[in-house]
């Protein structure tokens, strides 16, 4: 692998992206490279241009999600690393692959949790379109199982009320 000059980490706030961010920080530390932490966002209805006040609220909310992710991963900015948190408006895949275009860039993303392939759009897009090495980090085991009622219902979809016996 060529020399690593920048590590670009895409974050969304999910447990998998927090884990991937920690891995990206380790990689940046090993190569003495700056860590660029990117959170991309789109307004709820990006087809229309709302009032400036509403756009500002959405922008501020996106910054808050980025800082919350940094707090969950490191308790703030990671010590001993050159970091640059960035907020970018746009779809995550095109934003991340557009930023990771220089020689020596490495893009680190979450591979997403196991499930239907259509849920991993960002990971699939980055792996297919990136012009640099991409590390797709699988989420930790605990995050794979901490998906709430929907995830439980999906994993236990073969259970039916008429086939279960009362205790």
């Amino acid at each position: 692998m060529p020399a690593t000059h920048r590590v670009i980490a895409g974050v969304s706030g999910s447990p998998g992206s927090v884990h991937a961010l920690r891995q990206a920080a380790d990689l940046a530390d090993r190569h003495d490279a700056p860590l660029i932490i990117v959170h991309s966002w789109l307004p709820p209805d990006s087809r229309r241009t709302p009032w400036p006040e509403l756009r500002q609220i959405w922008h501020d909310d996106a910054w808050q999600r980025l800082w919350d992710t940094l707090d969950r991963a490191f308790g703030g900015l990671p010590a001993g690393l050159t970091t640059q948190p960035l907020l970018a408006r746009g779809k995550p895949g095109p934003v991340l692959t557009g930023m990771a275009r220089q020689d020596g860039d490495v893009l680190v993303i979450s591979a997403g949790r196991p499930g239907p392939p259509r849920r991993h759009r960002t990971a699939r897009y980055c792996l297919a379109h990136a012009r640099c090495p991409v590390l797709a980090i699988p989420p930790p085991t605990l995050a794979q199982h901490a998906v709430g009622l929907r995830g439980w219902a999906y994993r236990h979809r073969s259970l039916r009320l008429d086939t279960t016996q009362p205790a």
Side-chain angles (χ1 to χ4, degrees):
M1 182 159 84
T4 301
H5 298 292
R6 293 190 317 168
V7 177
I8 300 167
V11 298
S12 65
S14 69
S17 76
V18 170
H19 181 65
L21 177 58
R22 289 180 183 136
Q23 300 296 318
D26 289 343
L27 180 66
D29 189 38
R30 279 195 307 262
H31 291 275
D32 197 27
L35 175 63
I36 300 168
I37 305 159
V38 182
H39 174 66
S40 66
W41 68 285
L42 282 172
D45 186 4
S46 58
R47 293 172 291 169
R48 297 190 292 169
T49 305
W51 296 296
E53 295 84 7
L54 191 53
R55 280 195 313 256
Q56 187 61 45
I57 289 170
W58 291 335
H59 184 265
D60 293 346
D61 182 60
W63 268 114
Q64 188 60 49
R65 280 188 303 238
L66 175 61
W67 286 109
D68 287 347
T69 303
L70 285 167
D71 284 341
R72 271 181 270 166
F74 309 111
L77 288 174
L81 279 178
T82 303
T83 57
Q84 182 181 5
L86 289 175
L87 193 61
R89 187 172 170 176
K91 290 185 178 182
V95 164
L96 293 171
T97 56
M99 287 188 172
R101 291 188 167 269
Q102 296 179 12
D103 288 339
D105 283 350
V106 175
L107 178 59
V108 180
I109 57 171
S110 170
R113 66 177 186 248
R118 62 184 283 262
R119 295 184 60 100
H120 310 243
R121 290 182 199 156
T122 301
R124 283 187 307 153
Y125 185 94
C126 290
L127 289 166
H129 294 93
R131 296 178 182 239
C132 67
V134 178
L135 295 177
I137 308 293
T141 306
L142 181 60
Q144 292 178 16
H145 297 291
V147 294
L149 183 57
R150 280 189 173 158
W152 184 90
Y154 182 76
R155 289 191 308 275
H156 297 89
R157 64 190 173 276
S158 63
L159 296 177
R160 293 191 345 235
L161 186 58
D162 60 347
T163 60
T164 58
Q165 300 296 321

